[in-house]
Amino acid sequence: MPDMPNKARQLSEKQSEYMHLIAEIMEIRKRGEKPLAFIHTYGCQQNVADSERIKGMLDKSGFGFTDTPDDADFILFNTCAVREHAEDRVFGNVGALKNLKRRHPQILIALCGCMMEQEHIADRIYNSFPFVGLVFGTHSLHRFPELLYRSLVDGRRVVERGNDDRLVYEGFPVHRDGSFKGWLPVMYGCNNFCTYCVVPYVRGRERSREKDVILSEAKEMIAGGFRDITLLGQNVNSYGKTLETPVSFAQLIREIDSIDGDYWLRFMTSHPKDCSKELIDAIAEGQHISNHLHLPFQSGSDRVLKAMNRHYDRKKYLETVAYAKERIDGLSLTSDIIVGFPGETYEDFKQTLSLIREVEFTSLFTFIFSPRKGTPAEKMDDPVPAEEKSKWFRELLDVQEEIAAKRCASMVGQTERVLIEGVKEKTGELNARTGGNIIVELTGNKDLIGTFQNVKITKARNWILKGELN
Ligand code: SAH
Ligand code: SF4
């Protein structure tokens, strides 16, 4: 690794040694022919990308993978803390492993990810689930082999959290889940402290990977047949600001875009407060950059945006959208929205509805506000009852369904370039996606999975398109 600081390099070498030691131990401990790991990932793509790195380290430690917890020697849940619902699912699913551990006491059960960086959660896990042998947070991911080794040899429970040393660790193996659609983290953490959000607390301060490291990973993915690559960061627009030689995100995507090959490049998440014209121009002028922009606005009301600490207003958001629509052909916009932020009134909510009508998003990720421990919003007055918020939420879904249906219907008759992603189990049809991230279903041979095809859109069903191979 060219620009890795000494501390990070030493750590990566040390972790490689632990991977060899784990392989030796597992040779004796395994239950079947090969030690097997079961990994379940909750939450966002960043977690998926982290799990791919954990799997890479397990792969190097001699493990294979299984989808059946019963067959596993090692079970890991990579958890999400963004909303209460995600946390509840983890507690439920971990509780359900108690009997499995009783049947097979030699299985090692571990939990990692964002939830584990919250002290009250790590404590609750430790106290309620004595059969969980290893707990580590996002800041300890790069020390996973050492932690796994310790819990295997000591036979004692290992808990490791905190230690945000703000370094970026490189040189770890990656075991990617897909063969043509993949994730590429460009930065970690977040400095924005939106008042509802737990991410800055559990993923630490913003830090970027070196441009050359990202470029070489992108080259490797493209050469390896990846067709749809998503660059990941909590706020990609501030990529590179903290690097020794600062680089803008627009520069980064222009350089990746100049790599030869047949692929789509996309990225998430772009924060509207600093989504620059430079970035929009880079998308418009790119060869491979898809015409899809995920630009979460969260609320259409300036009052609520201010209380959320988002640092943009409705006017600025709409100006950015107008510029993007003008510059990028067939632009497809998607967004995240929170309904029922503390103090939000129905009047505020109506501004969210009017904004989605005005912009006409392709699709939306919609969430009801979930109070997160330790965030400022948790302590804000929240007088609107849950049933009322659910009513607003359903109203939002209805409006969006109408918009998406209209948008999809307007595409009938067009020819779209799509990436064939898989087969729909129920009907045997192929599933595909446009560059703008719209789902297209069509009849065709399974051999086409992982290839780009031109498809004529024949029908629109709400937010899904039907098509025929051209
Ligand atoms: N960094 C990204 C988002 C990360 S979290 C960004 O700034 O857009 C993904 C989404 O989860 C957020 O955009 C928000 O809509 C939602 N979210 C985060 N915290 C939430 C909370 N406490 N309650 C409800 N939704 C939340
Ligand atoms: Fe959370 Fe805001 Fe950071 Fe996104 S930008 S991760 S919503 S604090």
Side-chain angles (χ1 to χ4, degrees):
M1 272 305 130
D3 291 319
M4 219 185 348
N6 259 347
K7 187 175 170 198
R9 186 192 304 276
Q10 279 163 9
L11 183 125
S12 129
E13 284 162 7
K14 196 164 135 203
Q15 298 306 309
S16 289
E17 286 167 26
Y18 281 116
M19 293 183 222
H20 289 299
L21 294 173
I22 294 166
E24 283 170 17
I25 296 172
M26 289 314 297
E27 225 3 76
I28 304 162
R29 252 184 91 134
K30 67 187 178 188
R31 292 161 59 206
E33 262 175 40
K34 195 177 181 175
L36 291 177
F38 169 88
I39 315 288
H40 188 84
T41 308
Y42 299 81
C44 68
Q45 279 78 15
Q46 182 62 61
N47 260 14
V48 174
D50 285 352
S51 288
E52 290 184 341
R53 276 155 175 80
I54 291 173
K55 283 184 191 171
M57 297 186 237
L58 285 167
D59 192 15
K60 274 266 159 76
S61 311
F63 278 85
F65 299 98
T66 174
D67 293 331
T68 317
D70 252 274
D71 297 340
D73 297 277
F74 177 60
I75 295 180
L76 176 72
F77 286 176
N78 188 1
T79 64
C80 168
V82 159
R83 281 170 297 276
E84 195 179 357
H85 177 66
E87 289 190 345
D88 289 345
R89 277 174 53 216
V90 170
F91 280 115
N93 292 345
V94 176
L97 292 178
K98 192 173 167 184
N99 285 334
L100 180 67
K101 176 75 179 174
R102 197 174 289 147
R103 284 200 307 278
H104 306 293
Q106 69 275 49
I107 292 183
L108 176 62
I109 298 176
L111 292 175
C112 70
C114 293
M115 272 172 81
M116 303 309 127
E117 286 298 349
Q118 303 177 99
E119 199 172 353
H120 68 288
I121 299 277
D123 286 350
R124 186 171 153 196
I125 298 275
Y126 194 83
N127 296 327
S128 317
F129 304 117
F131 53 87
V132 171
L134 168 63
V135 168
F136 61 100
T138 55
H139 300 317
S140 313
L141 186 94
H142 50 274
R143 290 181 45 230
F144 166 63
E146 178 184 346
L147 301 173
L148 175 58
Y149 173 79
R150 263 174 48 200
S151 37
L152 288 170
V153 293
D154 287 2
R156 266 191 317 213
R157 302 172 79 193
V158 173
V159 178
E160 191 83 17
R161 37 175 305 282
N163 305 326
D164 177 11
D165 60 12
R166 301 181 183 198
L167 280 179
V168 175
Y169 292 92
E170 300 290 358
F172 291 98
V174 187
H175 179 99
R176 295 189 194 279
D177 289 337
S179 55
F180 57 87
K181 197 171 163 149
W183 318 106
L184 175 43
V186 300
M187 61 199 295
Y188 304 102
C190 180
N191 286 352
N192 288 311
F193 291 95
C194 302
T195 52
Y196 50 82
C197 185
V198 78
V199 170
Y201 305 90
V202 295
R203 286 206 167 261
R205 295 294 69 73
E206 193 175 282
R207 55 226 182 264
S208 298
R209 300 179 76 188
E210 290 291 340
K211 189 185 74 182
D212 290 347
V213 176
I214 298 169
L215 282 170
S216 76
E217 203 169 320
K219 275 184 196 145
E220 217 172 88
M221 289 175 84
I222 294 162
F226 279 82
R227 296 279 174 258
D228 190 343
I229 299 172
T230 303
L231 308 180
L232 294 178
Q234 294 300 343
N235 175 14
V236 291
N237 304 116
S238 53
Y239 169 78
K241 285 185 183 157
T242 51
L243 289 175
E244 226 170 87
T245 319
V247 187
S248 74
F249 184 63
Q251 262 169 283
L252 175 74
I253 58 170
R254 280 190 195 273
E255 287 200 35
I256 300 178
D257 183 55
S258 69
I259 302 171
D260 281 339
D262 195 11
Y263 62 94
W264 279 338
L265 185 65
R266 40 177 120 233
F267 52 86
M268 65 194 297
T269 294
S270 207
H271 195 306
K273 81 177 159 68
D274 34 29
C275 179
S276 63
K277 286 194 169 168
E278 186 200 3
L279 174 64
I280 292 170
D281 292 343
I283 303 172
E285 289 156 20
Q287 294 285 305
H288 305 98
I289 307 172
S290 70
N291 57 353
H292 171 209
L293 184 58
H294 183 61
L295 198 61
F297 72 90
Q298 314 295 357
S299 167
S301 152
D302 285 348
R303 211 179 59 80
V304 175
L305 286 172
K306 200 157 195 311
M308 287 177 163
N309 194 33
R310 290 288 288 179
H311 293 283
Y312 55 87
D313 58 14
R314 182 188 173 96
K315 184 166 168 273
K316 156 117 175 47
Y317 185 85
L318 289 172
E319 279 167 10
T320 305
V321 165
Y323 185 71
K325 281 187 174 174
E326 180 194 314
R327 292 286 285 125
I328 305 167
D329 274 348
L331 174 69
S332 168
L333 278 157
T334 56
S335 196
D336 294 350
I337 295 176
I338 296 178
V339 173
F341 184 79
E344 183 178 15
T345 62
Y346 188 64
E347 284 310 306
D348 292 315
F349 171 69
K350 279 205 315 213
Q351 304 235 5
T352 295
L353 290 184
S354 82
L355 195 142
I356 66 170
R357 284 208 162 92
E358 192 168 338
V359 175
E360 299 195 318
F361 294 95
T362 307
S363 57
L364 294 174
F365 298 90
T366 46
F367 310 103
I368 293 184
F369 169 72
S370 167
R372 305 285 61 217
K373 199 171 161 71
T375 61
E378 184 210 4
K379 294 175 198 74
M380 292 179 187
D381 210 19
D382 191 6
V384 177
E387 312 82 74
E388 184 67 13
K389 290 186 183 183
S390 300
K391 231 165 77 190
W392 299 358
F393 188 75
R394 282 194 301 275
E395 194 175 344
L396 176 70
L397 297 187
D398 287 347
V399 172
Q400 177 56 25
E401 201 170 305
E402 195 189 296
I403 294 167
K406 194 173 118 199
R407 212 189 129 88
C408 281
S410 75
M411 293 173 77
V412 174
Q414 289 176 10
T415 296
E416 286 280 332
R417 187 162 198 249
V418 300
L419 178 63
I420 312 280
E421 294 189 339
V423 181
K424 226 177 135 192
E425 245 178 59
K426 257 193 193 157
T427 60
E429 281 171 299
L430 295 178
N431 263 331
R433 221 170 259 270
T434 67
N437 222 24
I438 302 175
I439 297 171
V440 184
E441 294 171 350
L442 63 146
T443 311
N445 194 306
K446 274 203 305 221
D447 296 347
L448 297 178
I449 293 172
T451 65
F452 286 116
Q453 298 294 330
N454 286 326
V455 166
K456 177 143 187 231
I457 306 302
T458 51
K459 237 194 261 171
R461 220 189 50 214
N462 294 334
W463 59 89
I464 292 176
L465 299 170
K466 295 272 179 188
E468 279 168 8
L469 285 170
N470 240 10

